[in-house]
Short mmCIF file of all heavy atoms in Angstrom, two decimals:
data_model
loop_
_atom_site.label_atom_id
_atom_site.label_comp_id
_atom_site.label_asym_id
_atom_site.label_seq_id
_atom_site.Cartn_x
_atom_site.Cartn_y
_atom_site.Cartn_z
N LYS F 46 -35.08 34.31 130.75
CA LYS F 46 -34.52 33.33 129.81
C LYS F 46 -35.44 33.09 128.62
O LYS F 46 -35.04 32.45 127.64
CB LYS F 46 -34.26 32.01 130.53
CG LYS F 46 -33.21 32.10 131.64
CD LYS F 46 -33.03 30.77 132.34
CE LYS F 46 -31.92 30.84 133.37
NZ LYS F 46 -32.20 31.84 134.43
N VAL F 48 -37.03 33.89 125.36
CA VAL F 48 -36.97 34.68 124.13
C VAL F 48 -37.53 33.79 123.01
O VAL F 48 -37.17 32.62 122.91
CB VAL F 48 -35.54 35.14 123.79
CG1 VAL F 48 -35.54 36.00 122.53
CG2 VAL F 48 -34.94 35.92 124.96
N LEU F 50 -38.51 32.80 119.02
CA LEU F 50 -38.23 32.92 117.59
C LEU F 50 -39.54 32.74 116.83
O LEU F 50 -40.25 31.75 117.04
CB LEU F 50 -37.23 31.86 117.13
CG LEU F 50 -36.95 31.84 115.62
CD1 LEU F 50 -36.14 33.06 115.20
CD2 LEU F 50 -36.25 30.55 115.20
N PHE F 68 -35.92 22.20 109.67
CA PHE F 68 -35.86 23.28 110.66
C PHE F 68 -35.36 22.76 112.01
O PHE F 68 -34.57 23.44 112.69
CB PHE F 68 -37.24 23.93 110.85
CG PHE F 68 -37.22 24.99 111.91
CD1 PHE F 68 -36.74 26.26 111.63
CD2 PHE F 68 -37.62 24.70 113.22
CE1 PHE F 68 -36.67 27.23 112.62
CE2 PHE F 68 -37.55 25.67 114.21
CZ PHE F 68 -37.08 26.93 113.91
N SER F 69 -35.79 21.59 112.40
CA SER F 69 -35.36 21.05 113.69
C SER F 69 -33.85 20.90 113.75
O SER F 69 -33.22 21.24 114.76
CB SER F 69 -36.04 19.70 113.93
OG SER F 69 -35.73 19.21 115.21
N ARG F 70 -33.24 20.43 112.67
CA ARG F 70 -31.78 20.32 112.64
C ARG F 70 -31.12 21.69 112.68
O ARG F 70 -30.12 21.89 113.38
CB ARG F 70 -31.33 19.56 111.38
CG ARG F 70 -31.66 18.07 111.42
CD ARG F 70 -30.80 17.30 110.43
NE ARG F 70 -30.89 17.84 109.08
CZ ARG F 70 -31.85 17.54 108.23
NH1 ARG F 70 -32.83 16.72 108.58
NH2 ARG F 70 -31.86 18.04 107.02
N PHE F 71 -31.69 22.66 111.93
CA PHE F 71 -31.14 24.02 111.94
C PHE F 71 -31.24 24.61 113.35
O PHE F 71 -30.30 25.25 113.84
CB PHE F 71 -31.89 24.89 110.94
CG PHE F 71 -31.30 26.26 110.76
CD1 PHE F 71 -30.32 26.49 109.81
CD2 PHE F 71 -31.72 27.34 111.54
CE1 PHE F 71 -29.76 27.75 109.63
CE2 PHE F 71 -31.17 28.61 111.38
CZ PHE F 71 -30.19 28.81 110.42
N TYR F 72 -32.37 24.38 114.00
CA TYR F 72 -32.56 24.89 115.36
C TYR F 72 -31.51 24.30 116.31
O TYR F 72 -30.88 25.04 117.07
CB TYR F 72 -33.97 24.56 115.86
CG TYR F 72 -34.18 24.96 117.30
CD1 TYR F 72 -34.56 26.25 117.63
CD2 TYR F 72 -33.95 24.05 118.33
CE1 TYR F 72 -34.72 26.63 118.96
CE2 TYR F 72 -34.10 24.41 119.66
CZ TYR F 72 -34.49 25.70 119.97
OH TYR F 72 -34.63 26.08 121.28
N GLN F 73 -31.34 23.00 116.25
CA GLN F 73 -30.39 22.37 117.17
C GLN F 73 -28.96 22.83 116.92
O GLN F 73 -28.18 22.96 117.86
CB GLN F 73 -30.50 20.84 117.04
CG GLN F 73 -31.82 20.29 117.53
CD GLN F 73 -31.93 18.80 117.25
OE1 GLN F 73 -31.11 18.01 117.73
NE2 GLN F 73 -32.92 18.41 116.46
N GLN F 74 -28.63 23.10 115.67
CA GLN F 74 -27.25 23.49 115.34
C GLN F 74 -26.99 24.97 115.60
O GLN F 74 -25.89 25.33 116.06
CB GLN F 74 -26.96 23.16 113.88
CG GLN F 74 -25.52 23.46 113.46
CD GLN F 74 -25.23 23.01 112.04
OE1 GLN F 74 -26.04 22.35 111.40
NE2 GLN F 74 -24.06 23.38 111.54
N HIS F 75 -27.98 25.82 115.33
CA HIS F 75 -27.72 27.26 115.32
C HIS F 75 -28.53 28.09 116.33
O HIS F 75 -28.14 29.23 116.60
CB HIS F 75 -28.02 27.83 113.92
CG HIS F 75 -27.22 27.23 112.81
ND1 HIS F 75 -25.87 27.48 112.65
CD2 HIS F 75 -27.56 26.39 111.81
CE1 HIS F 75 -25.42 26.83 111.59
NE2 HIS F 75 -26.43 26.15 111.06
N LEU F 76 -29.62 27.55 116.86
CA LEU F 76 -30.57 28.41 117.57
C LEU F 76 -30.86 27.99 119.01
O LEU F 76 -31.39 28.80 119.78
CB LEU F 76 -31.90 28.46 116.80
CG LEU F 76 -31.83 28.89 115.34
CD1 LEU F 76 -33.20 28.74 114.69
CD2 LEU F 76 -31.33 30.32 115.21
N ARG F 77 -30.55 26.78 119.39
CA ARG F 77 -31.04 26.27 120.67
C ARG F 77 -30.46 27.01 121.86
O ARG F 77 -31.08 27.06 122.93
CB ARG F 77 -30.78 24.76 120.80
CG ARG F 77 -29.32 24.36 120.87
CD ARG F 77 -29.19 22.84 120.95
NE ARG F 77 -29.97 22.31 122.05
CZ ARG F 77 -30.24 21.01 122.21
NH1 ARG F 77 -29.81 20.13 121.33
NH2 ARG F 77 -30.94 20.59 123.24
N ASN F 78 -29.28 27.62 121.71
CA ASN F 78 -28.70 28.39 122.81
C ASN F 78 -29.21 29.83 122.86
O ASN F 78 -28.85 30.58 123.77
CB ASN F 78 -27.17 28.39 122.70
CG ASN F 78 -26.58 27.01 122.88
OD1 ASN F 78 -27.09 26.22 123.67
ND2 ASN F 78 -25.51 26.72 122.16
N THR F 79 -30.03 30.20 121.88
CA THR F 79 -30.51 31.58 121.77
C THR F 79 -31.99 31.70 122.09
O THR F 79 -32.41 32.64 122.77
CB THR F 79 -30.24 32.11 120.35
OG1 THR F 79 -28.86 31.92 120.01
CG2 THR F 79 -30.58 33.60 120.25
N PHE F 80 -32.79 30.75 121.62
CA PHE F 80 -34.24 30.85 121.76
C PHE F 80 -34.78 29.66 122.55
O PHE F 80 -34.49 28.51 122.24
CB PHE F 80 -34.91 30.88 120.38
CG PHE F 80 -34.52 32.07 119.57
CD1 PHE F 80 -33.51 31.97 118.61
CD2 PHE F 80 -35.13 33.30 119.76
CE1 PHE F 80 -33.13 33.07 117.86
CE2 PHE F 80 -34.76 34.41 119.01
CZ PHE F 80 -33.76 34.30 118.06
N SER F 81 -35.60 29.97 123.56
CA SER F 81 -36.17 28.91 124.39
C SER F 81 -37.55 28.49 123.92
O SER F 81 -38.10 27.50 124.43
CB SER F 81 -36.26 29.39 125.85
OG SER F 81 -37.10 30.55 125.93
N LEU F 82 -38.12 29.24 122.98
CA LEU F 82 -39.47 28.94 122.51
C LEU F 82 -39.57 29.33 121.04
O LEU F 82 -39.05 30.38 120.65
CB LEU F 82 -40.51 29.70 123.35
CG LEU F 82 -41.96 29.25 123.21
CD1 LEU F 82 -42.68 29.35 124.56
CD2 LEU F 82 -42.71 30.10 122.20
N VAL F 83 -40.22 28.50 120.25
CA VAL F 83 -40.37 28.76 118.81
C VAL F 83 -41.85 28.93 118.50
O VAL F 83 -42.67 28.05 118.82
CB VAL F 83 -39.78 27.62 117.97
CG1 VAL F 83 -40.10 27.82 116.49
CG2 VAL F 83 -38.27 27.53 118.17
N LEU F 118 -39.51 18.16 117.29
CA LEU F 118 -39.01 19.51 117.54
C LEU F 118 -39.29 19.90 118.99
O LEU F 118 -38.46 20.56 119.64
CB LEU F 118 -39.66 20.49 116.57
CG LEU F 118 -39.31 21.97 116.76
CD1 LEU F 118 -37.81 22.21 116.61
CD2 LEU F 118 -40.09 22.85 115.77
N GLN F 120 -39.18 18.21 121.55
CA GLN F 120 -38.22 17.64 122.49
C GLN F 120 -37.07 18.61 122.76
O GLN F 120 -36.38 18.49 123.78
CB GLN F 120 -37.66 16.34 121.92
CG GLN F 120 -38.68 15.21 121.83
CD GLN F 120 -38.10 13.96 121.17
OE1 GLN F 120 -36.91 13.88 120.91
NE2 GLN F 120 -38.96 12.99 120.92
N HIS F 121 -36.86 19.58 121.86
CA HIS F 121 -35.72 20.48 121.97
C HIS F 121 -36.11 21.91 122.35
O HIS F 121 -35.24 22.71 122.73
CB HIS F 121 -34.96 20.51 120.64
CG HIS F 121 -34.53 19.14 120.18
ND1 HIS F 121 -33.51 18.45 120.76
CD2 HIS F 121 -35.03 18.35 119.19
CE1 HIS F 121 -33.36 17.28 120.15
NE2 HIS F 121 -34.27 17.20 119.20
N THR F 122 -37.38 22.27 122.21
CA THR F 122 -37.80 23.63 122.50
C THR F 122 -39.29 23.64 122.82
O THR F 122 -40.03 22.75 122.39
CB THR F 122 -37.54 24.57 121.30
OG1 THR F 122 -37.97 25.90 121.63
CG2 THR F 122 -38.29 24.10 120.05
N LEU F 425 -33.42 37.94 112.29
CA LEU F 425 -32.24 37.20 112.73
C LEU F 425 -31.29 36.93 111.57
O LEU F 425 -30.07 36.92 111.74
CB LEU F 425 -32.67 35.88 113.37
CG LEU F 425 -31.55 35.02 113.94
CD1 LEU F 425 -30.94 35.66 115.18
CD2 LEU F 425 -32.07 33.61 114.26
N PHE F 467 -26.57 37.91 112.28
CA PHE F 467 -26.85 36.66 112.97
C PHE F 467 -25.94 36.48 114.18
O PHE F 467 -26.41 36.13 115.27
CB PHE F 467 -26.68 35.48 112.00
CG PHE F 467 -27.12 34.16 112.56
CD1 PHE F 467 -28.43 33.76 112.44
CD2 PHE F 467 -26.22 33.33 113.21
CE1 PHE F 467 -28.86 32.53 112.97
CE2 PHE F 467 -26.61 32.11 113.73
CZ PHE F 467 -27.94 31.71 113.61
N SER F 471 -27.56 37.14 117.91
CA SER F 471 -27.59 35.93 118.73
C SER F 471 -26.84 36.14 120.04
O SER F 471 -27.31 35.75 121.12
CB SER F 471 -26.98 34.74 117.97
OG SER F 471 -27.75 34.42 116.82
N GLN F 475 -28.42 36.05 123.86
CA GLN F 475 -27.89 35.14 124.87
C GLN F 475 -27.44 35.91 126.11
O GLN F 475 -27.64 35.46 127.25
CB GLN F 475 -26.75 34.32 124.28
CG GLN F 475 -27.22 33.32 123.23
CD GLN F 475 -26.07 32.65 122.51
OE1 GLN F 475 -24.99 32.48 123.06
NE2 GLN F 475 -26.30 32.25 121.26
N THR F 478 -30.49 36.84 128.22
CA THR F 478 -31.10 35.76 129.00
C THR F 478 -30.36 35.48 130.30
O THR F 478 -30.88 34.76 131.16
CB THR F 478 -31.16 34.46 128.18
OG1 THR F 478 -29.82 34.00 127.88
CG2 THR F 478 -31.93 34.66 126.88
#
Side-chain angles (χ1 to χ4, degrees):
K46 296 178 176 61
V48 182
L50 176 71
F68 177 80
S69 185
R70 289 200 306 276
F71 187 89
Y72 175 86
Q73 292 174 60
Q74 183 175 352
H75 300 289
L76 305 174
R77 66 182 306 167
N78 294 325
T79 307
F80 297 97
S81 60
L82 194 144
V83 173
L118 177 60
Q120 293 176 8
H121 305 286
T122 180
L425 183 69
F467 187 88
S471 296
Q475 291 172 29
T478 64

